[in-house]
């Protein structure tokens, strides 16, 4: 396999990129001057150095110092009574830009395939359970007891068979915890068309989907 084929195979791994488009990327790079390729390779290397993954929500964020959590999780003004679960970073960014939601987030890391035996290795379901316990259980009082403060978990997945299956799976996995901690669990409602990718939805569509969640 020559260098063109190797690069084509790498670009094919990008979301939504097929053989033809991947090859066009390779030929585009070859048509540019050497400094373009050098700058691109340096930026890719710097990406890993300057970006970290939040220890709370698993969102990627630009490092300013040595923070372990992103600006959303560190914001004391965020509504901590709601937690929205999304598939990936781009979904979180779309909802954030819409300015229709003001709570916390959790990135699941993917969707659950309809036929899958080892589901827990594909998504962060165990990490999600631990976060819910931390966020929705009130600290122990001086008497040594603890209590729940209620709240809501919003499942925000793409409207597709795989998204629906993930919604069902997460509900089942969280059922015991949400019932015990008196947490409402809801899903995005009308406003999103079947087959819609969350990251490509416009602000009004997201607003209606959140307003009509159930």
């Amino acid at each position: 396999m020559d260098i063109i084929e190797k690069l084509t195979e790498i670009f094919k791994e990008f979301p939504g990129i097929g053989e033809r488009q991947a090859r066009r990327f390779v030929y585009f790079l070859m048509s540019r001057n050497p400094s373009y390729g050098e700058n691109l390779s340096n930026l890719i290397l710097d990406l890993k150095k300057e970006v970290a993954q939040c220890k709370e929500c698993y969102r990627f964020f630009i490092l300013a110092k040595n923070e372990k959590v992103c600006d959303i999780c560190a914001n004391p003004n965020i509504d901590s009574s709601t937690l929205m679960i999304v598939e990936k970073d781009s979904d979180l960014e779309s909802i954030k830009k819409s300015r229709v939601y003001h709570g916390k987030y959790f990135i699941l890391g993917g969707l659950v395939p309809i036929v899958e035996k080892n589901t827990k290795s594909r998504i962060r379901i165990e990490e999600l359970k631990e976060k819910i316990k931390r966020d929705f259980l009130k600290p122990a009082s001086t008497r040594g007891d603890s209590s729940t403060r209620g709240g809501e978990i919003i499942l925000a997945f793409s409207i597709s068979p795989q998204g629906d299956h993930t919604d069902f799976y997460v509900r089942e996995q969280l059922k015991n915890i949400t019932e015990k901690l008196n947490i409402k669990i809801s899903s995005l409602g009308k406003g999103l068309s079947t087959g819609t990718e969350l990251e490509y939805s416009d602000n009004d569509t997201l607003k209606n989907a959140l307003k009509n969640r159930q």
Side-chain angles (χ1 to χ4, degrees), residues 36 49 53 59 86 88 115 117 147 153 186 207-208:
Y36 185 92
K49 297 176 184 176
Q53 193 169 36
R59 169 195 179 212
V86 297
K88 54 190 182 295
V115 180
K117 294 182 179 179
S147 60
I153 292 173
S186 60
K207 182 178 180 179
N208 289 332

Side-chain angles (χ1 to χ4, degrees), residues 25-36:
F25 288 168
V26 177
Y27 283 109
F28 170 78
L29 288 175
M30 288 192 292
S31 70
R32 309 297 290 184
N33 58 49
S35 62
Y36 185 92

Side-chain angles (χ1 to χ4, degrees), residues 112-126:
V112 179
I114 295 176
V115 180
E116 175 63 52
K117 294 182 179 179
N118 193 21
T119 300
K120 292 185 179 181
S121 66
R122 298 181 66 96
I123 60 173
R124 302 185 182 103
I125 192 65
E126 295 302 321

Side-chain angles (χ1 to χ4, degrees), residues 59 71-72 84 89-102 105 203 206:
R59 169 195 179 212
D71 58 316
I72 297 176
M84 180 177 288
D89 284 76
S90 53
D91 294 337
L92 186 155
E93 292 301 323
S94 294
I95 294 170
K96 182 183 176 185
K97 288 178 181 178
S98 72
R99 298 182 180 179
V100 296
Y101 174 73
H102 307 287
Y105 295 90
N203 291 352
L206 288 172

Side-chain angles (χ1 to χ4, degrees), residues 7-8 11-12 17-26:
L7 275 174
T8 299
F11 286 129
K12 280 169 60 179
I17 302 300
E19 173 83 29
R20 183 177 297 179
Q21 196 166 10
R23 191 169 291 272
R24 287 177 64 190
F25 288 168
V26 177

Side-chain angles (χ1 to χ4, degrees), residues 43-209:
L43 285 172
I44 292 172
L45 291 173
D46 290 341
L47 186 64
K48 286 293 185 180
K49 297 176 184 176
E50 299 180 17
V51 174
Q53 193 169 36
C54 179
K55 301 299 182 183
E56 282 293 321
C57 69
Y58 292 90
R59 169 195 179 212
F60 288 107
F61 68 100
I62 303 296
L63 276 171
K65 296 179 181 177
N66 291 318
E67 303 98 332
K68 292 186 177 180
V69 297
C70 68
D71 58 316
I72 297 176
C73 292
N75 188 347
N77 298 317
I78 288 292
D79 178 9
S80 61
S81 68
T82 57
L83 177 66
M84 180 177 288
I85 305 171
V86 297
E87 175 194 351
K88 54 190 182 295
D89 284 76
S90 53
D91 294 337
L92 186 155
E93 292 301 323
S94 294
I95 294 170
K96 182 183 176 185
K97 288 178 181 178
S98 72
R99 298 182 180 179
V100 296
Y101 174 73
H102 307 287
K104 290 188 174 183
Y105 295 90
F106 183 88
I107 296 178
L108 195 61
L111 295 178
V112 179
I114 295 176
V115 180
E116 175 63 52
K117 294 182 179 179
N118 193 21
T119 300
K120 292 185 179 181
S121 66
R122 298 181 66 96
I123 60 173
R124 302 185 182 103
I125 192 65
E126 295 302 321
E127 293 88 339
L128 175 59
K129 291 177 182 178
E130 291 303 314
K131 179 172 178 59
I132 292 171
K133 291 174 184 177
R134 290 196 307 269
D135 288 3
F136 289 91
L137 188 64
K138 289 182 179 179
S141 67
T142 54
R143 298 188 310 177
D145 60 345
S146 59
S147 60
T148 62
R149 55 181 173 80
E152 181 181 8
I153 292 173
I154 304 170
L155 304 182
F157 304 125
S158 299
I159 306 301
S160 65
Q162 197 170 343
D164 292 342
H165 180 65
T166 303
D167 185 295
F168 175 78
Y169 176 83
V170 173
R171 281 177 178 271
E172 287 298 303
Q173 288 291 312
L174 299 183
K175 186 176 181 180
N176 290 338
I177 298 174
T178 54
E179 289 180 352
K180 182 179 179 180
L181 300 181
N182 191 31
I183 302 169
K184 176 184 178 182
I185 186 165
S186 60
S187 304
L188 294 183
K190 296 178 180 178
L192 289 174
S193 302
T194 300
T196 300
E197 287 283 342
L198 202 63
E199 64 177 295
Y200 301 126
S201 301
D202 59 62
N203 291 352
D204 288 337
T205 299
L206 288 172
K207 182 178 180 179
N208 289 332

